[in-house]
Amino acid sequence: MKRKITRRDFLNGTQVAIGASLLSPWTEVFGADASTFTLPPDYYPPAKAGLRGSHDGSWETMHARVAGTSWPAGPMDEKYDLVIVGGGISGLSAAHFYREERPSARILVLDNHDDFGGHAKRNEFQVNGKTRIAYGGTESIDTPSGYSAVSMAMLEDIGVDVQKFYDYFDQDLYDDMGLSYAIAFDQQTYGTRKLVAGYGSRPWQEFAAETPMSSKAQADLVRAFTDERDYLPGLSRAEKVAKLSSLSYRSYLRDYVKLDEQVLEMYQRWGMSYWCVGMDEVPAIDILGYSDGGTMPGLGQTLPRKGGRGVEPYIFHFPDGNASVARLLVRRLIPEALPGSTMEDSVTARLDYSALDREGAKLRIRLNSTAVNVTHTADSKAVDVTYVHAGKARTVRAAKCIMACYNSAIPYICPDLSEKQRAGLAYNVKVPLTYTKVMVPNWRAFADLAIRFVYFTNDFYKQVELDYPVSLGDYEFAASPDEPMALHMCHVPYFDDIQGPEQWRAGRRQLLETPFSTFEHHVRDQLDQALSGAGFDADKDITAITVNRWAHGYAYSPDLLWEPEYESETDKPWVIGRQPFGRISIANSDAGAAANTDSAIAQSYRAVREVLSS
Ligand SMILES: Cc1cc2nc3c(=O)[nH]c(=O)nc-3n(C[C@H](O)[C@H](O)[C@H](O)COP(=O)(O)OP(=O)(O)OC[C@H]3O[C@@H](n4cnc5c(N)ncnc54)[C@H](O)[C@@H]3O)c2cc1C
């Protein structure tokens, strides 16, 4: 029977997470002395709610390391051919590539979280005896046609056939139901909170007239979309590209399209879930790759687009996002951990966590284990990896090591690196964000209001959207508005007075300090704002909330306005940072300076080639 979750339940869930972290949560899982690493049969992190993502208990050891805590080498009772630090898609891919070449190798993967996959995180909810699946992090194989051959081949090797998503993803459902994109205007900027539906689907005059903007701003918005004007007349295509690359989108809209300040504010946070900065830091040229020039104004006639992102639909999505990629990798590495043999049957198969780290197995994935020191032995013939697990330091010896964690953490873990390489690694400040999943018993309010996505102009959550309509294997998407669904809400810390990586450092701190109750408050407040017109009441219409907090989220990517020009590939900080160091190589998406699966896989392939040839 469906159980109504009360506010008290949410708060209790959070208190359990925080309280447990103070008491070292692993003692609860492993007992006071973790003499075996094998997880118990009922260990199942996807079912956990409350604060997930980088959950409490996953980050404290590494932060203590950064603050100067050190651990002496622990008991050395295991030896491996390869130790991989980081069990995200990159670390798991590295294990896969290495084992392809060395089938009898002994490999250990260490990860500080209670689940594998890194950003590839699965969230599950039980509703009416059925499991609803959601993505807590990386959501889609975006534009697979642009993937490197090595990444595509690996995806195919583990059973992913991207073409099948053309059948599994219902591209027409929301359009056929007439569901549109809406904007929730904020009180501070526009004097009133107001939801206006039909962005991009109604005539612009009609849409603009309903907004709480001034009549000048309304007229400007209409003009920006309907006036077929080249705003950079007289320039060649190459000159336009150069200009639009050196100008922010905000400046372009203000100085060339001459839009009212209220319209500029409407777009200021539009790309927060993608670039994680305001539009005053995003080069105008980037907008073409983001919205095809169609949903954001001003560029369509100035620089008509040719190919690229947008040509391929955004449909390559498993119900748990790319957590399925991580699960399929684990199936390939440890077949007994995930029953079945196809991408379809993997979706609902229950992962047996007790198979990940079994005594005597050649390939072991050890969760809840933070690497704190990775150094060559005195004779340089091996690498000693010290990690903290269940509150105790332990050391394993490895012939080779791959760091598939975060670039910025590596200098603290590998103290022998040169200053130049440390600086290259530290350049990558990861971008903080959260993906919050909100379970509702039905999505009738969206259907009644004829909306699928709400963008909030200036609020805690930047957006709420319906789940992606994808069904495969035994898993069926909630196609009827009367079925339960996990809504997706995205929050990105925003600072209007700091730019560049400093804002991400500040955002990271802010995220870690934000209690679950704050996330919950904004979920309730913003859903009520958006949906109360159709009778939605957050007090009775929310059954569960899971906040996936990624204090270290997207890899840094060098596409923002303040990124310097580099004279050559080898001058790029991330290229300097990822150079092999003795028996240690560096994988992870940071090493490619690109927040995507392709980078995670391709960088692990390179790192494996390095350790094989060194
Ligand atoms: C919210 C979100 C949405 C995204 N959406 C997409 C998307 O739709 N499509 C896409 O292609 N990409 C997306 N990405 C980018 C995503 O980061 C990459 O695609 C990819 O999953 C990164 O894999 P990785 O293995 O390099 O890093 P991670 O997934 O970060 O894995 C690294 C692992 O190493 C662990 N680690 C760090 N330090 C230590 C230590 N000292 N000891 C042990 N373990 C450690 C980390 O905790 C983590 O588990 C998204 C990212 C985020 C955060």
Side-chain angles (χ1 to χ4, degrees):
M1 203 187 89
K2 185 167 59 184
R3 188 172 85 91
K4 180 172 179 273
I5 297 192
T6 63
R7 180 176 166 74
R8 177 169 294 277
D9 290 319
F10 290 144
L11 293 176
N12 282 348
T14 323
Q15 280 164 357
V16 168
I18 293 169
S21 79
L22 296 174
L23 297 171
S24 180
W26 325 134
T27 50
E28 287 185 1
V29 176
F30 300 102
D33 175 27
S35 53
T36 167
F37 294 106
T38 307
L39 294 159
D42 61 347
Y43 183 96
Y44 198 66
K48 291 189 172 184
L51 273 179
R52 297 294 295 155
S54 284
H55 55 82
D56 287 316
S58 66
W59 52 272
E60 295 83 344
T61 303
M62 194 56 218
H63 282 213
R65 178 78 194 93
V66 170
T69 305
S70 60
W71 286 262
M76 164 101 62
D77 33 26
E78 293 176 285
K79 288 190 177 171
Y80 290 91
D81 297 299
L82 176 68
V83 169
I84 299 166
V85 176
I89 287 179
S90 199
L92 297 171
S93 307
H96 170 71
F97 287 131
Y98 191 82
R99 210 183 49 175
E100 289 293 284
E101 298 296 326
R102 301 274 192 276
S104 58
R106 279 175 51 77
I107 303 172
L108 175 69
V109 180
L110 296 170
D111 198 279
N112 56 339
H113 286 92
D114 62 10
D115 203 349
F116 62 83
H119 297 149
K121 175 83 86 188
R122 179 177 171 110
N123 294 159
E124 288 185 8
F125 300 91
Q126 293 303 317
V127 187
N128 300 338
K130 279 191 176 168
T131 303
R132 302 310 307 167
I133 302 171
Y135 56 99
T138 169
E139 50 186 75
S140 294
I141 301 168
D142 188 0
T143 322
S145 60
Y147 270 42
S148 59
V150 77
S151 300
M152 251 354 257
M154 196 216 74
L155 290 176
E156 283 163 19
D157 199 9
I158 61 171
V160 179
D161 179 352
V162 290
Q163 292 307 313
K164 288 183 170 179
F165 286 102
Y166 284 96
D167 290 332
Y168 297 154
F169 192 105
D170 190 340
Q171 294 190 59
D172 301 322
L173 178 75
Y174 295 146
D175 281 343
D176 289 349
M177 292 176 72
L179 307 190
S180 72
Y181 292 80
I183 298 189
F185 290 88
D186 65 280
Q187 170 101 32
Q188 195 186 328
T189 319
Y190 302 99
T192 180
R193 271 180 140 190
K194 185 167 185 198
L195 184 82
V196 185
Y199 181 90
S201 51
R202 287 162 69 193
W204 285 109
Q205 284 85 349
E206 208 180 291
F207 177 85
E210 271 189 32
T211 69
M213 296 198 287
S214 68
S215 44
K216 171 169 181 309
Q218 290 179 358
D220 276 2
L221 181 67
V222 174
R223 174 175 59 78
F225 277 108
T226 55
D227 219 6
E228 299 199 344
R229 193 183 316 172
D230 175 355
Y231 290 99
L232 296 175
L235 297 189
S236 69
R237 192 167 177 93
E239 287 166 339
K240 286 177 179 176
V241 168
K243 177 154 251 4
L244 293 170
S245 302
S246 62
L247 261 183
S248 75
Y249 184 55
R250 187 179 175 104
S251 312
Y252 173 72
L253 291 183
R254 185 189 58 221
D255 301 337
Y256 293 86
V257 190
K258 309 266 184 216
L259 297 185
D260 187 273
E261 190 67 19
Q262 285 195 332
V263 184
L264 302 184
E265 277 304 301
M266 182 175 129
Y267 286 110
Q268 174 66 5
R269 294 163 186 79
W270 197 268
M272 281 304 287
S273 53
Y274 189 70
W275 292 285
C276 303
V277 296
M279 281 300 166
D280 49 337
E281 294 177 62
V282 177
I285 190 96
D286 287 14
I287 301 305
L288 288 168
Y290 180 68
S291 80
D292 205 12
T295 55
M296 300 176 77
L299 288 157
Q301 296 305 313
T302 303
L303 198 65
R305 208 167 156 270
K306 298 177 176 173
R309 190 186 150 103
V311 171
E312 231 170 349
Y314 193 71
I315 57 167
F316 308 100
H317 170 87
F318 286 93
D320 61 4
N322 292 341
S324 276
V325 172
R327 281 159 55 90
L328 287 166
L329 268 162
V330 168
R331 175 188 270 173
R332 190 62 195 273
L333 296 169
I334 308 172
E336 61 274 27
L338 191 67
S341 58
T342 64
M343 70 184 244
E344 290 82 0
D345 66 26
S346 76
V347 172
T348 46
R350 186 178 168 97
L351 202 129
D352 177 4
Y353 284 80
S354 74
L356 296 184
D357 194 0
R358 286 204 173 133
E359 210 64 49
K362 285 218 170 85
L363 199 148
R364 303 177 72 164
I365 299 171
R366 187 159 299 162
L367 303 176
N368 308 308
S369 301
T370 307
V372 288
N373 198 39
V374 175
T375 42
H376 287 90
T377 52
D379 61 5
S380 297
K381 288 192 172 153
V383 181
D384 282 349
V385 178
T386 299
Y387 65 97
V388 176
H389 174 92
K392 267 174 60 177
R394 293 158 186 276
T395 302
V396 290
R397 182 154 292 177
K400 303 282 171 62
C401 179
I402 290 180
M403 304 298 289
C405 50
Y406 305 151
N407 268 12
S408 57
I410 296 174
Y412 297 98
I413 308 173
C414 302
D416 302 333
L417 291 169
S418 70
E419 273 313 313
K420 189 176 175 199
Q421 187 162 7
R422 296 162 78 87
L425 289 162
Y427 191 77
N428 194 308
V429 179
K430 278 171 124 29
V431 178
L433 72 163
T434 64
Y435 274 9
T436 296
K437 315 313 286 193
V438 184
M439 201 66 218
V440 290
N442 61 69
W443 47 285
R444 172 71 35 220
F446 285 85
D448 290 351
L449 292 167
I451 56 175
R452 64 168 79 171
F453 183 111
V454 180
Y455 161 67
F456 295 85
T457 52
N458 182 11
D459 217 326
F460 184 84
Y461 282 103
K462 180 234 157 187
Q463 72 204 48
V464 56
E465 58 186 296
L466 292 177
D467 197 10
Y468 293 115
V470 68
S471 301
L472 65 160
D474 290 340
Y475 192 75
E476 282 192 19
F477 167 74
S480 154
D482 295 317
E483 290 179 63
M485 179 185 279
L487 304 176
H488 176 73
M489 297 184 80
C490 178
H491 162 70
V492 186
Y494 176 82
F495 304 90
D496 54 12
D497 53 346
I498 347 176
Q499 290 204 329
E502 268 320 305
Q503 67 198 304
W504 298 324
R505 291 196 181 93
R508 180 198 309 163
R509 283 191 293 274
Q510 193 185 77
L511 274 194
L512 290 176
E513 285 164 5
T514 304
F516 181 85
S517 55
T518 302
F519 289 103
E520 184 200 340
H521 164 77
H522 290 289
V523 164
R524 289 170 178 275
D525 174 55
Q526 291 186 244
L527 286 185
D528 272 343
Q529 181 202 353
L531 305 174
S532 58
F536 180 90
D537 176 356
D539 278 341
K540 61 178 178 51
D541 289 331
I542 296 175
T543 56
I545 299 174
T546 297
V547 176
N548 294 280
R549 172 185 64 177
W550 299 111
H552 297 268
Y554 297 152
Y556 176 85
S557 59
D559 51 5
L560 295 175
L561 212 49
W562 26 263
E563 185 69 21
E565 291 281 327
Y566 299 101
E567 277 185 18
S568 72
E569 188 66 11
T570 50
D571 288 332
K572 293 178 175 169
W574 53 96
V575 177
I576 295 168
R578 72 179 181 222
Q579 294 310 305
F581 172 64
R583 291 170 171 268
I584 303 168
S585 276
I586 292 166
N588 82 58
S589 54
D590 293 354
N596 60 53
T597 314
D598 184 25
S599 175
I601 300 171
Q603 293 303 321
S604 75
Y605 183 80
R606 174 196 45 74
V608 166
R609 296 291 119 191
E610 286 169 7
V611 295
L612 285 170
S613 64
S614 68

